[in-house]
């Protein structure tokens, strides 16, 4: 007998959810990279021209090296965002090729704990699975989960942490 669930999911709907999840990060980091690059470009040019001027003037090593170092530091700002963009682009390509797996795992432990990130702290809800380890979930998922519940965990190939979690008592997954 088929179990009664609120929603049926399949490989294609999981793929769409993964693409939606990954697409926003990709666009945002590209925008930040381009905007930061446009803002930083005049400063990079200024410091490199200062270094060239110091070289032609015959100044010492420190007078030549310091503007080059500052220019490289400025150039690193957009590079960080663009690296995130290209990393997420590879992630999206994996998802489009279907390079993800859906595994079933059982909750063995549930906890709420404070997570400290620099000056701020926040309460995180964590489910620990028998085979997959700890996974941070949202408050709604945590509230309807009980010890021993089964979940569908979606792993993008190469990742150790699942990108999506679906409770088996709410979702019915069919290949």
């Amino acid at each position: 007998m088929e179990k009664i669930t609120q929603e049926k999911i399949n490989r294609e709907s999981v793929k769409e959810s993964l693409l939606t999840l990954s697409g926003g990060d990709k666009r945002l980091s590209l925008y930040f990279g381009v905007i930061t690059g446009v803002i930083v470009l005049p400063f990079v040019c200024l410091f490199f021209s200062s270094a060239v001027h110091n070289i032609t003037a015959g100044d010492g090593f420190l007078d030549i090296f310091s503007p080059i170092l500052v220019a490289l530091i400025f150039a690193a700002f957009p590079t960080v965002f663009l690296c995130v963009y290209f990393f997420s682009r590879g992630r999206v390509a994996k998802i489009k090729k279907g390079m993800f797996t859906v595994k079933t795992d059982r909750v063995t432990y549930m906890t709420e704990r404070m997570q400290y990130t620099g000056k701020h702290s926040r309460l995180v809800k964590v489910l620990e699975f028998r085979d997959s380890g700890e996974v941070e979930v949202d408050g709604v998922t945590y509230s309807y989960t009980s010890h021993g519940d089964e979940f569908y965990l979606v792993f993008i190939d190469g990742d150790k942490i699942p990108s999506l979690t679906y409770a088996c008592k709410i979702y019915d997954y069919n290949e």
Side-chain angles (χ1 to χ4, degrees), residues 8 10 19 23 39-40 47 57 63 98 117 130 145 159 166:
K8 293 181 185 272
N10 57 26
L19 286 171
I39 292 170
V40 166
F47 285 109
D63 292 330
T117 54
R130 181 182 61 220
T145 302
D159 290 352
Y166 295 99

Side-chain angles (χ1 to χ4, degrees), residues 69-175:
L69 181 65
V70 173
L72 291 175
I73 290 171
F74 271 101
F77 291 132
T79 306
V80 170
F81 293 115
L82 294 174
C83 285
V84 169
Y85 168 73
F86 286 112
F87 172 74
S88 65
R89 219 177 127 180
R91 197 174 161 87
V92 168
K94 279 185 178 180
I95 295 167
K96 285 183 178 179
K97 290 178 185 175
M99 297 174 65
F100 61 90
T101 56
V102 180
K103 299 178 182 176
T104 306
D105 205 349
R106 189 173 299 278
V107 175
T108 57
Y109 183 70
M110 300 172 55
T111 187
E112 294 179 71
R113 62 176 171 236
M114 295 301 290
Q115 182 180 46
Y116 300 99
T117 54
K119 294 180 183 178
H120 305 285
S121 61
R122 65 185 183 105
L123 184 66
V124 294
K125 288 143 177 51
V126 178
L127 301 178
E128 185 174 330
F129 293 94
R130 181 182 61 220
D131 299 325
S132 304
E134 292 184 346
V135 177
E136 188 178 321
V137 295
D138 60 35
V140 175
T141 303
Y142 187 83
S143 67
Y144 65 69
T145 302
S146 303
H147 185 276
D149 283 355
E150 282 194 331
F151 274 76
Y152 298 113
L153 304 176
V154 182
F155 292 89
I156 297 174
D157 290 358
D159 290 352
K160 295 184 191 297
I161 299 172
S163 299
L164 293 173
T165 58
Y166 295 99
C168 290
K169 63 184 175 184
I170 295 178
Y171 295 94
D172 186 20
Y173 177 74
N174 295 314
E175 240 359 93

Side-chain angles (χ1 to χ4, degrees), residues 29-39 78 81-82:
S29 59
L30 178 63
Y31 297 150
F32 278 143
V34 169
I35 290 168
T36 309
V38 168
I39 292 170
F81 293 115
L82 294 174

Side-chain angles (χ1 to χ4, degrees), residues 25-63:
D25 295 342
K26 186 174 89 170
R27 281 188 223 109
L28 183 64
S29 59
L30 178 63
Y31 297 150
F32 278 143
V34 169
I35 290 168
T36 309
V38 168
I39 292 170
V40 166
L41 185 63
F43 294 106
V44 171
C45 291
L46 176 73
F47 285 109
F48 272 125
S49 67
S50 173
V52 169
H53 177 269
N54 292 345
I55 290 171
T56 56
D59 291 343
F61 175 75
L62 191 58
D63 292 330

